[in-house]
Amino acid sequence: ASTYTQPTPLAVSPDGSSVAFVIRQADPDRNAYCQGLVVMSTDGSARPRLVADAGEFINYEQATRGSVLPIGYPAATRPRWSPDGRWIAFLRRENGTTRLWRVASRGGGALAVSPPGVDVQSFAFAGDGTKLLFGTWPDMPKVQAAVDREGGSGWLYDKRVLPNMFARPQPPAGLALAVSAVDVASGSP
């Protein structure tokens, strides 16, 4: 049995004519990945189009032994189409934070619509497509700061630690998810 149980990374447009996905390519000179949000026709009639920079590599995280652990392979960050097909929402990691972005499906300026400093865990378009909903763990920075403080006097090696993977205790699974909404067109709350 595979532990890789992520959903498909492909998002088909509401009319079925296009598919959006994040493509990545290793960049050995930078020891990083180059990622982009691509849209292509489902019938192969047009060349794929790069519609936005998709930022840094996003690790797949899995709840294990009561903690959230980065596994080391890429998360399947599936973009989502607005119901009218006009917009695409996607996750983009930059400077260590994963934020929600939106871009016009035909391309144009991508816009971050979630606040900086807090990772977006999930997102969806509201039923009418005018709002984007996203969930965050607002307590995560406090949890991480507490682990940092604990490290000053030595971490307790309890179930939060997997010694063969991490020396540092990992954050607990099951933090409360806070849901926010923003207007798709303007990106404002």
Side-chain angles (χ1 to χ4, degrees):
S2 172
T3 59
Y4 190 81
T5 57
Q6 298 184 77
T8 177
L10 305 175
V12 178
S13 64
D15 66 3
S17 68
S18 299
V19 63
F21 55 93
V22 173
I23 190 168
R24 83 183 45 84
Q25 179 177 343
D27 182 347
D29 293 337
R30 290 183 340 168
N31 192 28
Y33 287 89
C34 174
Q35 298 190 131
L37 177 66
V38 174
V39 173
M40 64 183 285
S41 64
T42 53
D43 66 5
S45 63
R47 292 181 52 94
R49 294 177 290 119
L50 179 67
V51 295
D53 177 349
E56 301 166 2
F57 180 89
I58 301 174
N59 264 317
Y60 175 63
E61 294 179 339
Q62 183 174 343
T64 302
R65 292 180 48 196
S67 295
V68 177
L69 304 173
I71 302 301
Y73 49 81
T77 56
R78 182 174 60 136
R80 303 230 178 16
W81 293 80
S82 62
D84 63 5
R86 184 173 167 211
W87 301 100
I88 302 172
F90 64 103
L91 295 178
R92 180 173 189 241
R93 189 163 183 84
E94 186 175 89
N95 299 319
T97 301
T98 302
R99 296 178 67 191
L100 179 61
W101 290 66
R102 70 95 176 112
V103 65
S105 60
R106 298 207 179 276
L111 175 70
V113 296
S114 66
V118 180
D119 290 323
V120 171
Q121 301 301 315
S122 59
F123 67 97
F125 280 93
D128 66 359
T130 62
K131 299 269 186 204
L132 263 168
L133 308 172
F134 61 93
T136 62
W137 289 330
D139 291 337
M140 186 59 82
K142 288 186 268 184
V143 169
Q144 294 288 21
V147 170
D148 290 343
R149 281 191 305 280
E150 180 186 349
S153 60
W155 289 307
L156 174 63
Y157 277 71
D158 55 17
K159 70 179 185 175
R160 303 171 301 158
V161 177
L162 293 174
N164 59 334
M165 294 178 73
F166 306 99
R168 176 187 174 89
Q170 296 302 296
L175 289 175
L177 192 68
V179 177
S180 301
V182 295
D183 180 75
V184 174
S186 69
S188 349

